[in-house]
Amino acid sequence: MRVTEQGLDAHISLAAAGDSVSATFAVCDAEGRAIWYGPFIDADADHPRGDQLAAAMGAAGRAIWLAGRAREDTGVEKVTLHLAVSEDGLDAITLACTASMAGLALDLIVTEDNPALDWCQAFGGLDWTSGPLTDLVDPEVPQTIPTLRAITGGLDQQSEPQERLDMHELALDPSMELRSALESLLLHDAIGMDAKMRHAIAAVVHLAVDTPHGPPEDAEEFLGRLDASWLVAAWLGHDTELSLIATLAAGEIPALSWCELMFTTTLAPWSTSPVAVHARRVFGTVQRGASLGAVRAQVG
């Protein structure tokens, strides 16, 4: 903590986002890592019920509550919460009052570059750690780097460009564009699709693309990977992925089988859908991985 003449002064930097379509929320720390995300529960008082502003307000409220807990755990009297959101129509007065009740001064930053948005589409959920949240509290605002280092909005315009750490630079990996294109195949016109199926699509794409053997070389290999036996052989030793495979392959209508059918038709050579054409092109730009046959040998 930094002790000033006015007393203790500390800062917390968070990002929050909500998605009304999937009824999910996410709260990220200053590095863009999710510390709390998942679906709103039907019984929740802040459930958005299809209202995007309500989803964003609900996520912001949860971020404020989390920061308030961190302030209590640290025992600091004065804490400023730098909260990044993506909607500019939020009720700032209500949020400021909520923050004040939690012993926080609210600095609301509206930015399109919000790492919490991606976590709203992530499979499953993550509960905040029930232990002390003192790690969220910074002793002072950095003077030469953004307050919320994963977000570029609301920064001091005098900062040098190379000092800004963009969220996309943090999250960038060779298969990101491929995953995004494949997910878009099934989600681009998925209005009304429930959160469970949206998460299932994201999980299936992750399992087929991010294997230790590397990404698929083409659409045909990607489709060949949408098989539970192949995926189990590819992810041996990775408990989280093996658990996902078991979940996706279970049920009366397994999500894995549904995704295989949908991807087979949408990635077919005769498909002229713009997203399908883009996905087929993206396969040619990713780093080549191990051949499909090399893993099929393990399955057999």
Side-chain angles (χ1 to χ4, degrees):
M1 300 306 140
R2 177 166 59 91
V3 180
T4 67
E5 292 181 356
Q6 290 76 29
L8 290 175
D9 191 10
H11 300 262
I12 298 175
S13 298
L14 298 175
D19 188 313
S20 61
V21 176
S22 58
T24 53
F25 72 95
V27 178
C28 293
D29 64 12
E31 302 294 342
R33 295 185 296 259
I35 52 179
W36 191 13
Y37 74 90
F40 289 98
I41 307 302
D42 288 341
D44 289 342
D46 59 355
H47 194 291
R49 313 296 178 192
D51 185 326
Q52 180 54 37
L53 282 180
M57 283 290 292
R62 295 187 178 205
I64 291 172
W65 180 87
L66 201 64
R69 280 294 306 265
R71 185 196 66 79
E72 292 178 1
D73 290 345
T74 309
V76 180
E77 294 182 3
K78 297 181 180 180
V79 174
T80 298
L81 169 61
H82 306 277
L83 178 61
V85 297
S86 298
E87 285 78 6
D88 58 5
L90 299 186
D91 187 343
I93 295 178
T94 296
L95 293 177
C97 291
T98 303
S100 179
M101 294 173 62
L104 306 167
L106 180 62
D107 172 27
L108 197 63
I109 305 168
V110 179
T111 174
E112 294 180 356
D113 198 7
N114 184 345
L117 289 171
D118 290 336
W119 286 102
C120 288
Q121 308 303 325
F123 182 82
L126 174 68
D127 289 333
W128 63 279
T129 303
S130 57
L133 297 170
T134 54
D135 290 344
L136 291 181
V137 181
D138 294 328
E140 57 184 289
V141 177
Q143 298 300 313
T144 59
I145 59 176
T147 297
L148 191 58
R149 284 165 285 181
I151 293 179
T152 57
L155 301 181
D156 182 356
Q157 297 301 315
Q158 297 180 353
S159 298
E160 292 297 327
Q162 62 267 27
E163 293 174 342
R164 299 182 178 183
L165 186 56
D166 186 79
M167 181 274 292
H168 298 296
E169 294 175 354
L170 288 171
L172 187 62
D173 65 75
S175 300
M176 176 180 291
E177 186 178 2
L178 176 58
R179 288 198 306 272
S180 177
L182 290 170
E183 290 178 22
S184 295
L185 283 172
L186 304 190
L187 295 177
H188 73 284
D189 59 354
I191 298 176
M193 180 181 290
D194 62 28
K196 178 180 179 181
M197 189 54 69
R198 292 172 67 92
H199 290 320
I201 292 170
V204 168
V205 170
H206 159 65
L207 291 169
V209 171
D210 299 323
T211 72
H213 307 278
E217 295 186 0
D218 51 33
E220 182 179 1
E221 182 176 343
F222 170 75
L223 295 174
R225 293 184 175 196
L226 302 182
D227 173 80
S229 297
W230 190 96
L231 291 173
V232 167
W235 287 104
L236 283 177
H238 296 77
D239 293 343
T240 299
E241 279 73 17
L242 290 176
S243 177
L244 278 178
I245 297 168
T247 300
L248 293 167
E252 185 176 350
I253 304 178
L256 181 58
S257 296
W258 181 88
C259 287
E260 180 181 11
L261 172 63
M262 297 299 292
F263 276 119
T264 298
T265 55
T266 54
L267 274 174
W270 59 82
S271 176
T272 58
S273 167
V275 288
V277 173
H278 176 63
R280 289 196 293 265
R281 288 174 178 170
V282 170
F283 277 111
T285 67
V286 298
Q287 182 179 358
R288 293 294 183 241
S291 66
L292 182 64
V295 183
R296 285 198 181 281
Q298 299 179 35
V299 178

